[in-house]
Amino acid sequence: MEGQNKNIRLYGAGGHSGVIRDVAELTGYKIIDIFDDHPSDSVHWNSDMVKIGLISSKDFPHEGPPFVIAIGDNKTRAELSHKIKAAFKTLVHPSAVISKESSIGEGTVVYAGVVIQPNTTIGKHVIVNTSASIDHDNYIADFVHVAPKVALTGHVEVGEGSFIGAGAVVIPKVKIGKWCTIGAGSVVIKDVPDNAVVVGNPAKIIRYQNLNESNGE
């Protein structure tokens, strides 16, 4: 029974899936199934193992070991989290440094080299990517993607589904709205409204995303 409790399934067979495989295996989990909605298009660490996803399958096996949704796009991850009728597993790379006074939601994956400081709340199905730094008293809502080497300083809020691009910096007490995209390398010094795309130093709004537009990697 103990071995069965360490079994997990992945949904998604792209680049993120390979990285999440590493996190899972380093923490003692065994991946027993991988699903993808377009398995023939996947470049995967074990492509022979990939099975058709629930969008095209009438007999998708919801019951079984917990899932991790291994897809970088935030909207896709959100949609799948509501369609998959199963438990979800949270994974944390062994090299991550996480305060015991912080909390992490189900389905979230924390990658190598991440630092999460005290009194920070991370929501469900979040990606905290390689070497990101999330300081004290942050609130990161569900389905956010924090890209590699992002620095979120103290008392930052990030709304549902937002994507913070690689190397971006957000100064203290800034609030980023829902479904925003923060360009790579941007320096965010003031609040960002919902659905805004901002780039630059200091970051400025260049446009607004429509509701059907993908964001994330």
Side-chain angles (χ1 to χ4, degrees):
M1 183 65 68
E2 182 178 351
Q4 292 179 356
N5 290 338
K6 298 295 283 187
N7 291 340
I8 62 170
R9 298 177 287 175
L10 300 185
Y11 200 109
H16 275 286
S17 185
V19 181
I20 289 173
R21 177 271 314 256
D22 265 2
V23 180
E25 292 182 349
L26 285 168
T27 50
Y29 288 95
K30 179 181 179 181
I31 298 166
I32 63 166
D33 279 314
I34 304 164
F35 298 88
D36 195 278
D37 293 309
H38 306 284
S40 62
D41 298 335
S42 301
V43 178
H44 196 268
W45 54 275
N46 192 350
S47 58
D48 293 340
M49 191 177 180
V50 180
K51 301 177 180 179
I52 192 71
L54 62 81
I55 292 177
S56 302
S57 174
K58 296 180 180 179
D59 300 311
F60 183 79
H62 293 277
E63 294 184 2
F67 273 97
V68 176
I69 303 175
I71 294 173
D73 179 74
N74 296 343
K75 289 187 182 296
T76 302
R77 209 162 58 256
E79 290 169 0
L80 286 169
S81 75
H82 298 302
K83 292 177 179 177
I84 297 171
K85 308 303 180 184
F88 294 98
K89 178 60 64 177
T90 299
L91 296 176
V92 177
H93 194 282
S95 69
V97 178
I98 300 175
S99 170
K100 64 182 181 180
E101 297 175 358
S102 290
S103 63
I104 300 174
E106 68 175 16
T108 289
V109 182
V110 178
Y111 288 25
V114 167
V115 176
I116 299 174
Q117 297 287 20
N119 303 318
T120 284
T121 298
I122 310 289
K124 299 177 182 179
H125 303 285
V126 173
I127 294 173
V128 187
N129 219 314
T130 309
S131 298
S133 174
I134 301 179
D135 221 284
H136 63 90
D137 299 286
N138 277 227
Y139 175 77
I140 312 299
D142 299 344
F143 314 119
V144 168
H145 185 161
V146 180
K149 296 189 177 179
V150 165
L152 305 181
T153 55
H155 296 278
V156 170
E157 295 184 30
V158 182
E160 179 183 278
S162 285
F163 174 75
I164 316 297
V169 176
V170 183
I171 70 166
K173 300 182 179 180
V174 164
K175 183 176 181 179
I176 295 170
K178 299 178 181 179
W179 301 102
C180 296
T181 295
I182 309 301
S186 296
V187 178
V188 184
I189 64 172
K190 61 182 180 180
D191 291 354
V192 178
D194 293 351
N195 303 304
V197 179
V198 304
V199 298
N201 180 9
K204 296 180 180 180
I205 298 172
I206 59 169
R207 65 183 180 90
Y208 287 88
Q209 299 178 139
N210 64 56
L211 295 177
N212 295 320
E213 187 173 352
S214 295
N215 73 339
E217 184 181 331

